[in-house]
């Protein structure tokens, strides 16, 4: 039996590639290379499957150009790079990589919250620049974390994992808003209280965004929402670029309408709004919330197992549009 041909759209660890080579004819992408859309489509022609990251857009035009494609396996839990309706219409399965990154991403959300509240990046730059000449009472005095109110917008798996850290580890008062309220047992496990979006904005000392990106979620946090937050509050975005209006946030930070922000995701990343680069009270990281070696390996292995599961055995592990399989 001839093996299916697949493409790995961005370089992955050797053990992941080796696993895929046991089942497929594999075309890889060299480390550091990101294909343009035209180059990506060119390489995808004739392939039955592709392992993508959140950076490759899968839409009707691409699908029409690649009629042999059967599955797109995303190495990410988020899949806003997929036009899932177009994929279903073309009979192409989409899969994502949930669960394996939940705790690691929650760890990072908390790390970013603490770095932001306690002004770690700003004070480190100050020290490196040789400005530290004496101790003073208010030197980089930041916001309290323990015992404060943690607000979470988007209470899926990662939101719940952040809530547990806040409630059980830091004695925080956890409030959340979500499209639908969690069941009582889950709320109790997270020690989290459901509130309206307006209450969340008004009461949170630290507001963490963990909701998936959809067109309806575009600029969920803009100037009007920031105006409803406490002037002492911090805002953390580990969800997706576009959920926050980055220009409005940069302006608000400069005007100290809120105290600080921590951002791991950006509108139009890897480009970053130039105004964010010049305000001091923001911690900026390059979309690394899930980036530990074990977790990125697990994510890539799950993405590989989805390709093998579907193309070899007819059974994907984490399908997004399972109607395509049936
Ligand atoms: C990915 C992420 O590493 O899983 C997600 O949705 O945002 C990250 O964990 C990134 O999207 C690259 O695929």
């Amino acid at each position: 039996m001839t093996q299916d041909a697949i493409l790995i759209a961005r370089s992955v660890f050797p053990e992941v590639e080796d696993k895929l080579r046991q089942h497929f004819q594999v075309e890889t992408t060299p480390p550091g290379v990101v294909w343009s859309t035209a180059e990506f489509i060119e390489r995808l022609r004739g392939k039955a499957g592709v392992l993508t990251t959140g950076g490759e857009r899968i839409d009707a035009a691409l699908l029409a150009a690649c009629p042999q494609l059967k599955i797109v396996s995303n190495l990410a839990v988020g899949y806003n790079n997929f036009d899932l309706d177009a994929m279903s219409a073309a009979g192409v399965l989409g899969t994502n990589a949930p669960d394996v990154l939940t705790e690691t991403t929650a760890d990072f959300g908390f790390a970013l919250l603490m770095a932001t509240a306690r002004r770690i990046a700003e004070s480190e730059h100050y020290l490196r620049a040789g400005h530290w000449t004496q101790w003073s009472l208010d030197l980089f005095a930041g916001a309290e974390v323990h015992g404060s109110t943690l607000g979470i917008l988007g209470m899926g798996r990662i939101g719940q994992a952040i809530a547990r850290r806040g409630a059980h580890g830091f004695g925080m008062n956890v409030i959340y808003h979500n499209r639908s309220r969690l069941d009582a047992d889950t709320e109790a496990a997270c020690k989290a209280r459901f509130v309206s979006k307006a209450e969340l904005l008004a009461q949170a000392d630290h507001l963490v965004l963990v909701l998936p990106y959809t067109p309806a979620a575009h600029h969920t946090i803009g100037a009007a929402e920031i105006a409803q937050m406490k002037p002492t509050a911090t805002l953390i975005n580990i969800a997706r670029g576009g959920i926050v209006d980055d220009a409005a946030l940069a302006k608000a930070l400069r005007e100290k309408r809120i105290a600080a922000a921590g951002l791991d995701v950006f509108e139009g990343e890897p480009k970053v709004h130039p105004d964010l680069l010049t305000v001091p009270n923001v911690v900026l990281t390059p979309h690394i919330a899930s980036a530990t070696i074990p977790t990125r390996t697990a994510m890539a292995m799950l993405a590989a197992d989805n390709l093998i599961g579907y193309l070899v055995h007819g059974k994907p592990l984490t399908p997004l549009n399972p109607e395509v399989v049936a």
Side-chain angles (χ1 to χ4, degrees), residues 10 52-56 74-81 96-98 101 105 158 238-240 264-265 269 287-291 295-296 299:
R10 298 228 194 155
T52 52
T53 68
E56 285 78 37
N74 226 25
L75 199 168
V77 64
Y79 53 91
N80 54 303
N81 56 317
N96 67 340
L101 79 179
T105 304
I158 298 171
I238 56 165
R240 272 293 179 271
D264 186 50
V265 289
E269 64 184 52
H287 203 146
I288 55 167
S290 64
T295 292
R296 285 281 167 86
M299 291 166 71

Side-chain angles (χ1 to χ4, degrees), residues 224-241:
E225 289 74 23
I226 293 169
Q228 295 171 59
M229 294 173 66
K230 294 180 183 178
T232 50
T234 64
L235 175 70
I236 308 300
N237 187 8
I238 56 165
R240 272 293 179 271

Side-chain angles (χ1 to χ4, degrees), residues 8-314:
I8 301 176
R10 298 228 194 155
S11 175
V12 292
F13 300 134
E15 60 266 41
V16 182
E17 202 178 306
D18 290 348
K19 184 171 200 183
L20 287 167
R21 284 194 191 284
Q22 290 170 22
H23 301 276
F24 306 114
Q25 293 170 41
V26 179
E27 181 173 335
T28 53
T29 299
V33 170
V34 177
W35 306 119
S36 68
T37 303
E39 289 169 333
F40 178 50
I41 290 178
E42 205 39 57
R43 281 166 178 80
L44 207 47
R45 282 186 212 280
K47 305 289 192 303
V50 57
L51 193 156
T52 52
T53 68
E56 285 78 37
R57 175 99 197 120
I58 307 298
D59 58 16
L62 177 142
L63 295 166
C66 305
Q68 278 159 304
L69 194 61
K70 294 186 190 142
I71 170 172
V72 184
S73 175
N74 226 25
L75 199 168
V77 64
Y79 53 91
N80 54 303
N81 56 317
F82 286 2
D83 180 340
L84 207 56
D85 289 340
M87 290 169 70
S88 297
V92 173
L93 180 72
T95 59
N96 67 340
D99 299 320
V100 289
L101 79 179
T102 300
E103 300 298 329
T104 299
T105 304
D107 283 349
F108 187 86
F110 229 87
L112 195 54
L113 186 162
M114 296 197 74
T116 304
R118 298 302 307 273
R119 305 176 67 180
I120 288 178
E122 203 185 342
S123 60
E124 203 227 20
H125 294 155
Y126 168 93
L127 182 150
R128 280 181 191 270
H131 297 316
W132 188 32
T133 54
Q134 59 183 325
W135 182 91
S136 67
L137 189 63
D138 62 349
L139 185 65
F140 292 105
E144 210 68 88
V145 175
H146 73 272
S148 64
T149 296
L150 171 63
I152 301 177
L153 187 57
M155 199 61 157
R157 291 164 282 211
I158 298 171
Q160 291 170 32
I162 292 173
R164 289 195 302 272
R165 281 160 177 73
H168 300 294
F170 290 82
M172 294 169 95
N173 164 37
V174 182
I175 54 177
Y176 77 95
H177 185 72
N178 196 43
R179 266 176 313 182
S180 48
R181 189 174 170 170
L182 301 180
D183 62 68
D185 287 350
T186 312
E187 278 190 355
C190 299
K191 285 193 167 181
R193 187 165 59 85
F194 182 79
V195 295
S196 68
K197 186 178 167 194
E199 279 176 90
L200 188 80
L201 292 169
Q203 290 175 20
D205 293 312
H206 307 287
L207 177 59
V208 183
L209 309 177
V210 213
L211 62 163
Y213 182 86
T214 61
H218 189 71
H219 287 186
T220 296
I221 302 292
E225 289 74 23
I226 293 169
Q228 295 171 59
M229 294 173 66
K230 294 180 183 178
T232 50
T234 64
L235 175 70
I236 308 300
N237 187 8
I238 56 165
R240 272 293 179 271
I243 298 228
V244 173
D245 177 344
D246 285 349
L249 175 62
K251 186 167 184 290
L253 288 168
R254 196 178 297 285
E255 294 169 358
K256 304 264 172 62
R257 288 177 191 275
I258 57 170
L263 308 174
D264 186 50
V265 289
F266 304 88
E267 286 187 277
E269 64 184 52
K271 291 203 183 83
V272 175
H273 194 291
D275 293 354
L276 285 172
L277 298 173
T278 56
V279 283
N281 46 344
V282 62
V283 181
L284 308 169
T285 52
H287 203 146
I288 55 167
S290 64
T292 64
I293 298 291
T295 292
R296 285 281 167 86
T297 302
M299 291 166 71
M301 283 296 186
L302 176 52
D305 286 339
N306 268 313
L307 288 166
I308 298 163
Y310 188 45
L311 291 176
V312 180
H313 307 294

